Amino acid sequence: MATEITTIEYMVPADVYARYGADFNTEAVNDAVLAELNAIIPEGVTVQRNGRVFAEKDVEQVARDLDWRQLLGSLDLDQILAAHGR
């Protein structure tokens, strides 16, 4: 059984879209961010669509120690946005 660790805000804020001055499929962008984030975090840790983070018992402390801001910052947002323009 997984334990809830924290809640994170992974969705791209509106001001980021405004800086690019283009139209994006925001739902697809957020889904891509979530998928990439879940791909780089340790196995047994999962971020759900609502931002809630869960971890299996054996990786709870690892999940608590993750630097979520750094992980999100490591994603190639430009590439994600480029793939989901309208």
Side-chain angles (χ1 to χ4, degrees):
M1 178 167 204
T3 300
E4 186 172 353
I5 302 300
T6 189
T7 301
I8 63 165
E9 182 57 50
Y10 69 87
M11 294 182 188
V12 177
D15 65 316
V16 171
Y17 296 115
R19 275 187 258 144
Y20 284 85
D23 190 21
F24 298 96
N25 180 336
T26 58
E27 188 173 337
V29 168
N30 289 329
D31 287 347
V33 168
L34 181 60
E36 287 197 24
L37 182 60
N38 274 313
I40 64 172
I41 58 179
E43 190 172 325
V45 181
T46 305
V47 180
Q48 295 182 341
R49 191 175 181 127
N50 62 5
R52 293 169 66 189
V53 178
F54 288 87
E56 297 298 325
K57 187 103 179 129
D58 58 330
V59 290
E60 282 181 21
Q61 193 56 50
V62 171
R64 292 181 199 288
D65 293 340
L66 289 172
D67 183 342
W68 294 101
R69 185 177 301 231
Q70 185 275 331
L71 287 169
L72 286 165
S74 73
L75 301 179
D76 188 347
L77 187 57
D78 289 337
Q79 181 61 38
I80 293 170
L81 290 170
H84 298 289
R86 291 187 187 183

